[in-house]
């Protein structure tokens, strides 16, 4: 899964066996004192599901769907109740059959997370038992469970089950340690396309409905099951045979009708990525077919076995799409398809090991995406994500990558930047230290040993140690996965090309963190030298020899998950060569220097010098990084008005002449044949000059092109300039233009244009537009998730965030129970947390702690409060220094 999924869950601390003994069995209506406790998290192994048969009637035109489900199980011991899962299911019948006898059960949902209980008047016998259910349930309007969306004039239905939303679509034992085959039947209106994990084997007309029957799947956990229904457009093809696979692999793109003309890019790209993955794993694709499916409202993608699901703009494009959109395609598709092996073929035994799935897939997404299209420089994005994760991991409030998960409320907190960004970088660091071939061999050994089964982190670590021939790998990895925080490695010059090195936990100014020690795989080099020196720093201090005379590069390749501190002379020598550094090393410099500033050490003038040098780096990720850091100071409130004016002068001085030399033509396709790195750098420059520096000539040029585009001349504006152009128009035209953009958005189903228009409205930065969005924009054509995105836009913009915060305070309870609540409620702290004062931190805590304590979102609240308070401390201590440094700029 390639997004951070959040859910507002309520769970208890009670734990019980899955099967109750006859003596304990009670009706759930009995007094609490004699009611058996129910599991707040993992079920026991007292009941083991063996096979599922799902028969669902799905008509997206209706508000509810219905199902008949059978589950074959094995019971360890007799009992009068069974705990399982089902959330908000209207249960009409629930029976058990064992030994030729039928037992009628009573269904009860025990908590809002979907823990359910079946009780029986007499004990079920040990041994084989089949449970049968007849029920119906409501479609969701947000991307969880079985959900539906109207696109144009048509309704479509999809499923999104990770982590614990399968239980909202069918009764189940909904946890990853149970893997079993599924036989799926979908009953639909005639003429609909139905998709599931396995190939469709028959289609018949029965009682006015089209009945789609699918082959039995290979063993799967509940969260990887997929069921999609609607008048989809499809494009069929195949992945040609490879050395690992003798036969073509059926491949299909499945999307809503309006996207029918833009499926070829995804088909061709998916073919290539599958072939690269088969070569890496040295195994054929694990399932008999692959459907690549899109939906307009998923905030990312999901690795359903043989039936991956993506947000529309991830797949729907053509070769003229922007570099940024193509990069997302390559990374996310490689990530999800890597999961077909690492996650689907081999699955965690419980959610505490989901980090391994996601961290490895994140690393593979960037690696394989880069192999697929080296010209897009996809791989460098891994470093950007890793260093962003360090910003979260540096907080005292947080979690380790790998930690116990004892309640349902904790599960979705594992899908965060720590799992994806930090975990991916830890995998990269170990792979870099071991060497690519040894690491790959360890992965292959692990996959072969646990094929179609479950595995744990311990088993993965053992495979790596065996492949490396170095038992130190295991404690080194575990020091990063099993404890929170970012190592800070401090370098002090010694004699004869050596440095004294020491490690400590990185903390921001005014913060104290616990003492922590890691086994840091430390790799360094000198500028001008390609050879690097590597060693594991597992003591609090040590020495490292770095021969040569060039500037020290303390994180060679940028693959290390650590920050570094240098004496001023060494900082300045590295900054002076930032334009020539490889991308990963340039990003490491940018991150560590800014972290040094946040800790009270590096000077603002060093940040400005580094941003200017980095902006000339050929790597487009690196070229953006320095000014992105400065922009964060600009929007957070650390600068006074004179400082902000100075920052805008820096942008004009640095980029205006450079854009003139590069050239700027806003017409569609003008740079379609250009080097992707250069094209992406032009996009960065235009956005900075038009929307921050507010260059009059550029704003006039791009504004005119955007007006022509809005008037129907699609050739007037390339989609790469939508952010800048729409920002100019709404800034100048206010509510009148905002309403015009709304009409354009509501009339469009384009997966790039519609969200771009709505984003421009939400993030306008105008108070009048913000109030209108929050109080008066109630168009019924607006999807619930789009409404929440508009609220987010108002609340994170530097000029309207106070308006957003006040509105959220007044409407918080409604927001937390909205249809987008599973994603939105846990994100609320970070949405209102784009602020910089102790006072605002206290307000956020007082507002949200009573509502999120002990629930998904509680951790994000703690992080947000610390982040806002820390920013306030930095502003008090260094705000004047920052403002003066920028005010001096000419």
């Amino acid at each position: 899964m390639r997004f951070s999924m959040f859910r507002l869950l309520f769970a208890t601390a009670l734990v019980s066996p899955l099967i109750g003994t006859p003596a304990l069995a009670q009706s759930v209506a009995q007094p609490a004192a004699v009611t058996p406790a129910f599991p707040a998290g993992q079920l026991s192994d007292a009941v083991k599901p063996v096979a599922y048969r799902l028969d669902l009637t799905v008509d997206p035109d209706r508000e509810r769907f219905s199902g008949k489900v059978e589950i074959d199980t094995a019971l360890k011991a007799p009992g009068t109740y069974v705990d399982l899962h089902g959330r908000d299911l209207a249960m009409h019948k629930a029976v058990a059959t064992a030994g030729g006898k039928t037992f009628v059960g009573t269904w009860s949902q025990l908590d809002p997370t979907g823990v359910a209980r079946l009780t029986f008047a007499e004990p079920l016998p040990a041994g084989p038992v089949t449970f049968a259910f007849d029920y119906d349930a409501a479609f969701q309007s947000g991307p969880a469970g079985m959900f539906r969306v109207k696109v144009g004039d048509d309704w479509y239905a999809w499923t999104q089950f990770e982590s614990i939303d399968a239980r909202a679509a069918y009764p189940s034992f909904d946890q990853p340690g149970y893997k079993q085959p599924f036989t799926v039947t979908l009953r639909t209106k005639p003429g609909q396309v139905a998709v599931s994990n396995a190939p469709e084997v028959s289609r018949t007309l029965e009682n006015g409905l089209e009945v789609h029957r699918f082959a039995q799947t290979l063993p799967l956990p509940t969260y990887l099951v997929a069921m999609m229904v609607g008048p989809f457009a499809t494009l069929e093809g195949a992945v040609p045979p490879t050395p690992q696979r003798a036969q073509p692999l059926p491949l299909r793109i499945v999307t809503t009708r309006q996207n029918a003309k833009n499926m070829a890019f995804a088909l061709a790209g998916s073919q290539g990525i599958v072939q690269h993955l088969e070569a890496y794993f040295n195994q054929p694709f694990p399932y008999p077919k692959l459907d690549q499916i899109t939906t307009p409202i998923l905030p990312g993608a999901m690795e359903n076995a043989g039936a991956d699901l993506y947000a529309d703009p991830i797949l729907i494009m053509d070769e003229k799409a922007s570099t940024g959109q193509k990069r997302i395609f390559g990374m996310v598709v490689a990530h999800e398809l890597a999961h077909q092996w690492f996650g689907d073929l081999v699955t965690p035994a419980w959610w505490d090991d989901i980090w391994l799935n996601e961290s490895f897939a994140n690393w593979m997404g960037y690696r394989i995406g880069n192999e697929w299209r080296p010209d897009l420089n996809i791989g460098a994005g891994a470093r950007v994500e890793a260093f962003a994760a360090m910003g979260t991991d540096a907080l005292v409030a947080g979690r380790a990558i790998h930690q116990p998960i004892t309640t349902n409320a904790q599960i979705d907190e594992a899908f965060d930047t720590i799992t994806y960004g930090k975990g991916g970088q830890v995998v990269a660091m170990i792979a870099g230290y071991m060497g690519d071939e040894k690491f790959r061999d360890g992965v292959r050994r692990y996959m072969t040993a646990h094929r179609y089964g479950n595995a744990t982190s311990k088993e993965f670590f053992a495979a790596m140690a065996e492949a490396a021939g170095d038992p130190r790998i295991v404690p080194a990895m575990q020091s990063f996965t099993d404890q929170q925080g970012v190592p800070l490695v401090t370098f002090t010059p010694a004699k004869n090309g050596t440095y004294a090195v020491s490690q400590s936990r990185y903390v921001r100014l005014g913060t104290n963190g616990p003492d922590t020690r890691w086994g840091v795989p430390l790799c360094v080099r000198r500028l001008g030298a390609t050879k690097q020196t590597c060693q594991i720093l597992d003591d609090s201090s040590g020495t490292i020899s770095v021969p040569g005379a060039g500037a020290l590069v303390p994180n060679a390749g940028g693959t290390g998950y650590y920050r570094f501190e240098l004496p001023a002379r060494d900082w300045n020598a590295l900054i002076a060569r930032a334009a020539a550094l490889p991308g990963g090393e340039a990003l490491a410099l940018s991150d560590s220097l800014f972290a040094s500033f946040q800790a009270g050490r590096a000077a603002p003038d060093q940040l400005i010098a580094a941003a200017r040098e980095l902006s000339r780096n050929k790597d487009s990720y690196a070229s953006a990084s320095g000014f992105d850091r400065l922009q964060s100071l600009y929007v957070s409130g650390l600068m006074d008005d004179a400082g902000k004016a100075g920052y805008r002068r820096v942008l004009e001085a640095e980029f205006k002449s450079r854009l003139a030399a590069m050239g700027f033509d806003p017409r569609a396709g003008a740079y379609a044949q250009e080097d992707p790195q250069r094209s992406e750098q032009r996009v960065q420059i235009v956005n900075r000059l038009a929307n921050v520096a507010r260059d009059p000539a550029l704003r006039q040029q791009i504004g005119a092109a955007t007006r022509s585009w809005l008037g129907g001349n699609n050739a007037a504006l390339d989609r790469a300039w939508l952010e800048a152009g729409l920002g100019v128009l709404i800034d100048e035209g206010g509510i009148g233009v905002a309403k015009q953009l709304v009409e354009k958005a509501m009339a469009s189903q384009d997966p790039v244009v519609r969200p771009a228009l709505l984003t421009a409205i939400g993030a306008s930065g105008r108070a009048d537009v913000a109030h209108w969005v929050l109080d008066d924009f109630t168009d019924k054509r607006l999807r619930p998730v789009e409404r929440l995105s508009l609220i987010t836009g108002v609340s994170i913009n530097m000029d309207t965030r106070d308006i957003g915060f006040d509105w959220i305070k007044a409407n918080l309870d409604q927001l937390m129970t909205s249809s987008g609540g599973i994603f939105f409620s846990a994100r609320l702290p970070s949405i209102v947390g784009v602020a910089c004062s102790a006072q605002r931190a206290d307000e956020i805590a007082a507002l949200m702690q009573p509502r999120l304590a002990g629930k998904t979102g509680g951790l994000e609240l703690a992080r947000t409060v610390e982040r806002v308070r820390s920013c306030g401390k930095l502003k008090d201590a260094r705000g004047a220094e920052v403002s003066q440094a920028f005010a001096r700029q000419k």
Side-chain angles (χ1 to χ4, degrees):
M1 181 166 62
R2 179 54 199 175
F3 54 95
S4 297
M5 261 187 59
F6 300 94
R7 184 196 315 276
L8 179 63
L9 295 177
F10 302 82
T12 77
L14 302 175
V15 179
S16 74
L18 185 64
I19 282 286
T21 66
L24 290 176
Q26 299 286 340
S27 165
V28 294
Q30 293 295 317
V34 294
T35 300
F38 63 88
Q42 190 170 10
L43 303 174
S44 79
D45 62 355
V47 178
K48 182 180 180 181
V50 175
Y52 284 77
R53 290 175 292 282
L54 310 182
D55 189 332
L56 274 64
T57 299
V58 181
D59 182 355
D61 291 347
R62 300 179 179 273
E63 294 184 352
R64 301 182 71 85
F65 62 94
S66 62
K68 297 180 185 296
V69 169
E70 295 180 350
I71 311 174
D72 296 335
T73 70
L75 271 61
K76 275 191 171 182
T80 56
Y81 70 89
V82 173
D83 287 337
L84 69 167
H85 297 112
R87 190 172 71 240
D88 299 332
L89 306 178
M91 190 62 62
H92 306 304
K93 185 173 71 172
V95 299
T97 302
K101 183 177 179 179
T102 297
F103 300 77
V104 177
T106 299
W107 171 273
S108 299
Q109 181 177 328
L110 302 181
D111 81 337
T113 73
V115 177
R117 176 168 290 168
L118 266 180
T119 57
F120 299 91
E122 56 182 305
L124 301 177
V129 176
T130 295
F131 297 98
F133 306 91
D134 189 346
Y135 67 98
D136 68 86
F139 286 106
Q140 303 299 306
S141 59
M146 182 169 278
F147 63 98
R148 68 173 191 148
V149 178
K150 191 174 186 180
V151 183
D153 295 326
D154 300 313
W155 285 96
Y156 299 80
W158 299 264
T159 56
Q160 163 56 42
F161 290 156
E162 191 173 25
S163 59
I164 55 172
D165 284 317
R167 62 190 66 178
Y170 60 95
S172 54
F173 299 86
D174 188 18
Q175 57 190 48
Y178 294 131
K179 294 183 75 172
Q180 55 281 304
F182 287 78
T183 303
V184 176
T185 299
L186 294 175
R187 300 173 188 270
T188 73
K189 293 192 308 182
Q192 300 271 284
V193 175
V195 182
S196 191
N197 305 88
E200 187 173 354
V201 294
S202 72
R203 188 181 307 177
T204 59
L205 192 64
E206 301 176 15
N207 300 318
L209 294 176
E210 203 160 60
V211 181
H212 307 258
R213 291 185 170 87
F214 298 87
Q216 187 182 69
T217 70
L218 293 162
L220 297 177
T222 49
Y223 78 88
L224 290 176
V225 172
M227 295 174 282
M228 325 299 189
V229 172
F232 292 108
T234 63
L235 179 63
E236 297 190 11
V239 184
T242 63
Q244 296 77 28
R245 176 176 39 79
Q247 300 299 318
L249 173 70
L251 171 65
R252 184 170 58 165
I253 309 301
V254 181
T255 188
T256 53
R257 284 176 171 174
Q258 86 286 351
N259 295 328
K261 295 181 180 179
N262 289 308
M263 296 188 284
F265 182 93
L267 187 74
S270 298
Q271 289 170 332
I273 289 171
V274 168
Q275 291 171 317
H276 282 288
L277 286 164
E278 288 181 323
Y280 184 86
F281 290 115
N282 198 30
Q283 294 181 13
F285 188 80
Y287 302 101
K289 60 88 177 174
L290 173 61
D291 286 322
Q292 299 279 73
I293 309 156
T294 82
T295 176
I297 68 168
L298 191 72
M302 178 62 205
E303 67 271 16
N304 307 308
D308 279 3
L309 183 64
Y310 302 84
D312 278 352
I314 296 174
L315 294 193
I316 303 303
M317 68 188 79
D318 59 23
E319 190 54 48
K320 295 180 181 178
S322 69
T323 297
Q325 193 179 6
K326 290 176 187 173
R327 281 175 169 173
I328 291 171
F329 172 90
M331 187 275 162
V332 177
V333 171
H335 176 116
E336 300 307 328
L337 293 182
H339 270 313
Q340 300 291 307
W341 286 266
F342 212 104
D344 295 8
L345 180 66
V346 180
T347 306
W350 178 240
W351 296 109
D352 56 354
D353 279 323
I354 196 64
W355 75 270
L356 187 55
N357 273 19
E358 298 301 339
S359 300
F360 181 83
N362 223 47
W363 178 74
M364 285 291 284
Y366 287 110
R367 177 199 171 95
I368 298 298
N370 210 64
E371 287 184 7
W372 166 69
R373 285 285 299 267
D375 61 313
L376 296 174
N377 191 32
I378 292 169
R383 310 292 178 261
V384 176
E385 189 169 355
F387 294 128
M390 287 186 189
T392 298
D393 202 23
L395 299 170
V396 175
R399 67 174 189 87
I401 298 175
H402 181 220
Q403 65 179 20
I405 291 178
T406 59
T407 70
N408 289 325
Q410 296 171 324
I411 294 171
D412 284 337
E413 287 185 338
F415 295 90
D416 66 358
T417 184
I418 298 303
T419 290
Y420 291 95
K422 179 179 182 178
Q425 185 78 342
V426 170
V427 171
M429 181 170 61
I430 297 300
Y433 184 83
M434 287 177 59
D436 192 62
E437 288 190 10
K438 285 185 177 180
F439 182 79
R440 182 202 62 197
D441 291 345
V443 169
R444 289 176 176 178
R445 181 178 289 111
Y446 169 81
M447 299 298 298
T448 300
H450 303 287
R451 185 177 176 86
Y452 295 114
N454 298 95
T456 66
S457 297
K458 182 178 180 180
E459 290 162 325
F460 179 76
F461 292 150
M464 292 301 106
E466 185 179 350
D470 185 351
R472 296 179 303 163
I473 287 292
V474 173
M477 287 187 73
Q478 289 177 322
S479 74
F480 284 90
T481 61
D482 293 354
Q483 59 186 359
Q484 181 197 348
V486 181
L488 176 68
V489 180
T490 300
F491 290 78
T492 304
K495 296 180 179 179
N496 301 321
T498 64
Y499 281 81
V501 291
S502 61
Q503 63 162 298
S504 59
R505 178 166 172 164
Y506 171 82
V507 291
R508 295 175 179 174
L509 183 68
T511 303
N512 295 313
D515 290 335
T516 312
R517 185 179 296 178
W518 293 263
V520 183
L522 190 64
C523 291
V524 302
R525 72 177 183 94
R526 294 279 190 183
L527 275 177
T530 57
K531 185 178 180 180
Q532 61 186 38
T533 300
C534 294
Q535 66 185 53
I536 291 182
L537 177 64
D538 51 10
D539 289 327
S540 59
S541 62
T543 60
I544 189 166
S545 177
V546 194
L552 178 70
V553 180
N555 189 347
T559 59
Y561 190 82
Y562 56 86
R563 286 171 164 166
F564 54 83
E565 187 62 68
L566 300 172
R569 179 178 177 179
D570 290 79
W571 272 128
N572 293 335
L574 193 57
I575 289 168
R577 297 294 304 277
L581 289 172
E585 294 174 352
L587 290 165
L589 161 63
S590 179
D591 173 77
S592 286
L593 181 65
F594 192 72
S596 179
F597 165 78
Q598 289 180 305
R601 293 185 287 269
D605 286 334
Q606 289 178 301
L607 298 184
I608 296 170
R612 284 177 156 151
E613 289 300 320
L614 286 164
S615 72
R616 293 172 171 80
N617 196 288
K618 292 181 180 180
D619 185 300
S620 59
Y621 287 109
S623 66
S625 64
F627 275 99
D628 284 348
R629 308 284 183 188
L630 300 186
Q631 183 74 12
S632 72
L633 300 179
Y634 179 80
V635 301
S636 66
L638 258 77
M639 300 180 195
D640 60 19
D641 289 344
K644 289 179 179 178
Y647 174 63
R648 292 191 290 269
R649 289 195 298 273
V650 170
L651 293 178
E652 284 276 357
E654 204 60 42
F655 295 119
K656 189 171 182 178
S657 60
R658 205 178 307 178
L659 182 61
M662 295 178 78
F664 176 60
D665 182 349
R667 291 177 297 177
Y671 301 109
Q673 304 304 315
E674 189 177 47
D675 172 67
Q677 296 276 65
R678 182 177 173 86
S679 290
E680 187 63 17
Q681 289 176 327
R682 183 184 288 103
V683 172
Q684 296 165 6
I685 290 172
V686 167
N687 286 334
R688 296 194 199 282
L689 287 176
N691 293 338
V692 185
R694 302 176 68 84
D695 180 77
L698 179 59
R699 285 170 67 87
Q700 191 281 328
Q701 183 184 13
I702 200 167
T706 308
R707 289 186 188 92
S708 180
W709 175 80
L710 283 172
N713 180 8
N714 290 332
L717 187 75
D718 193 275
R719 294 184 177 197
W721 316 119
L722 279 173
E723 177 185 346
L726 293 171
V728 167
L729 292 196
I730 201 166
D731 181 54
E732 295 176 351
I735 289 180
V737 169
K739 292 181 176 179
Q740 181 185 0
L741 298 186
V742 163
E743 288 306 312
K744 179 89 171 176
M746 295 300 95
S748 174
Q749 300 299 332
D750 187 289
V752 173
V753 170
R754 182 176 173 121
L757 291 163
L758 293 174
T759 297
I761 296 165
S764 71
R766 290 186 56 124
D768 55 347
V769 175
H771 284 296
W772 174 73
V773 164
L774 297 174
D775 298 327
D776 299 320
F777 182 23
T778 57
D779 197 306
K780 293 182 178 179
R781 296 171 293 175
L782 191 69
R783 296 165 185 152
V785 293
E786 292 172 335
R787 169 68 173 159
L788 298 177
S789 294
L790 285 167
I791 296 167
T792 301
V794 170
S795 302
I796 65 175
N797 184 276
M798 62 182 288
D799 296 314
T800 58
R801 58 190 172 213
D802 289 338
I803 296 171
F805 183 66
D806 290 341
W807 188 90
I808 286 174
K809 283 195 296 184
N811 296 273
L812 183 59
D813 290 332
Q814 178 186 349
L815 285 170
M816 293 186 70
T817 57
S818 68
S819 60
I822 53 169
F823 293 100
F824 194 72
S825 62
R827 286 174 46 220
L828 270 172
S830 60
I831 290 168
V832 300
V834 187
C836 194
S837 72
Q839 178 182 346
R840 179 54 59 86
D842 292 340
E843 290 182 79
I844 295 169
L847 178 67
M848 295 191 173
Q849 276 178 350
R851 294 169 171 86
L852 291 178
K855 304 168 185 173
T856 302
L859 174 58
E860 186 56 35
L861 173 60
R863 286 169 169 165
T864 297
V865 170
E866 182 182 343
R867 192 179 288 117
V868 174
R869 195 180 307 281
S870 175
C871 183
K873 291 178 181 178
L874 185 65
K875 181 178 180 180
D876 292 342
R878 309 200 70 180
E881 180 188 5
V882 169
S883 295
Q884 291 165 10
F886 280 99
R888 290 193 298 267
Q889 303 301 311
K890 303 299 183 183

